[in-house]
Amino acid sequence: MKGALLVAGTTSDAGKSVVTAGICRLLARQGVRVAPFKAQNMSNNSVVTLDGGEIGRAQALQAQACGLAPSVRFNPVLLKPGSDRRSQLVVRGVAIDTVGARDYFRHRTRLRELVAAELASLRAEFDVVICEGAGSPAEINLRETDLANMGLAQAGELPVLLVGDIDRGGVLAHLFGTVAILDPADQRLIAGFLINKFRGDVDLLTPGLDRLTELTGRPTLGVLPYADELWIDAEDSLGTVADAPVGRPRPPVGTDWLTVAAVRLPRISNSTDVEALACEPGVAVRWVTDPSRLADADLVVLPGSKSTVGDLEWLRRTGIAAAVADRAAAGRPILAVCGGYQMLARRIRDEVESGAGEVAGLGLLDLDIEFAAAKTLCRSSGDAGAIPVHGYEIHHGRVLHSGDPSWLRLTTGPEGSVRQAVWGTHLHGLMESDAFRRAWLREVAAAAGRTGFVVAEDVSVAAVRAAQLDLLADLIEKYVDTDRLTRLIESGAPAGLPTLTVGH
């Protein structure tokens, strides 16, 4: 097999990431040398790659689906929103600018050339490249600067599989309308449809799919059922809904549950850190935005943020800051990661991210933070009391002073802080270190008075993630016309697809 495919979506969060990962995993299991590619992503969920840059977390998961280490090649352009109007522009893993929508025009020609060259390089090296679009190709107001949807499809002559989420409603209209609103040159590359998250009897949907084919001249390659088991490695913050559970809580091994309230910050970054906790039986993790939800939780998590000072002000305005301070005073467990860790400092000096200068932190740790223009990007390993740990760091804030005992001992030196039942660290992915997570959860349970909570001894986060990828591949194999899919990848969009016209 030799070729490429672009998986586009009618909306954000339609299922592009998981469908791409599933196709990648299926092909890899068949022995195909396959690589993922997302020309441009907009997400604050990122990981550090082996080649020293950062990419969207979804592309790291897709790389794993292919049996590859994450690389900046798989996501050469990443936008990390710091406000409603400004985003950090990361190119080939390195932050080069902070841009608004109009500023972005300055970069478009160079980025378009970079993206085209990267895709060509991957296609030369691998048998198949499965590309993921961004948002929706129906955003024709952005077509001129589009790097990831029809702009990429035209540049690479890629057939496009359009995914629609039926769980949102109106999926047939979304699919038809997405095609119809495009220019004829773009329409000719939309080669087929895929329905995602279907519940119920597919025979009831079939007449609608037949009519869609009559209207568009394009087939529906499959209908993927809603799979409640799929949840790990959320693509972006769309999945971190207030009061929503993380994962699928399993009954406890012992007699007690351990409840976790993860604060859903407005500019949350790397929200996936709590997913490792949610893999554990008897650990119930929930996103919260109301201070009252912290009162009964055994553990409160302050996650990362792309706007540490702004989200710190939000904590104070909502009353969550006061609730967190009360917990610390009472010796009740708190975990703070990256931006959340910085918020616990006595002082934060930020001339980089917010330009706010010196700001008072929550003062729950003897810690001073200063933001540097250069971003810290590294993968780290070490130990905590002889228990191995690993993870990665992505942050501008640096520790100027720490008067509390360090939590971790990394190859780069001491890291993190501990004061009573408050733990803080810059290390993302720490809880994926299975032996460490088990030992730490025992400490949390003891501090919370949950004497009946028993940590399972056989949970592997890596194995859970691998099982999710295999489930995705199984769903693609069972519910998608893989013969048609293969023909699309190998031969491109069929010639002579009808052009839809919109009446005036």
Side-chain angles (χ1 to χ4, degrees), residues 15 27 32 144 149 160-161 182 199 237 299 371 380 402 455 468 481 500:
L27 294 176
V32 177
E144 187 179 355
N149 293 307
V160 179
L161 180 65
L182 299 177
R199 309 173 195 246
S237 61
L299 170 67
F371 277 63
S380 302
S402 178
V455 178
Q468 298 246 309
D481 187 336
L500 309 187

Side-chain angles (χ1 to χ4, degrees), residues 38 123 199 311 344 354 391 471:
K38 184 155 185 171
R123 294 184 72 172
R199 309 173 195 246
D311 280 354
L344 300 189
S354 68
L471 174 58

Side-chain angles (χ1 to χ4, degrees), residues 400-467:
L400 290 183
H401 161 81
S402 178
D404 294 313
S406 59
W407 187 13
L408 311 171
R409 185 177 59 192
L410 304 181
T411 52
T412 53
E415 211 291 313
S417 306
V418 179
R419 177 182 287 189
Q420 296 180 316
V422 178
W423 294 270
T425 180
H426 273 128
L427 198 64
H428 292 295
L430 172 63
M431 294 300 159
E432 295 182 24
S433 304
D434 296 325
F436 168 80
R437 183 184 64 256
R438 294 177 191 127
W440 181 72
L441 282 174
R442 293 186 187 98
E443 287 188 62
V444 170
R450 295 295 183 186
T451 56
F453 176 77
V454 177
V455 178
E457 295 297 332
D458 59 351
V459 174
S460 162
V461 174
V464 172
R465 184 172 288 116

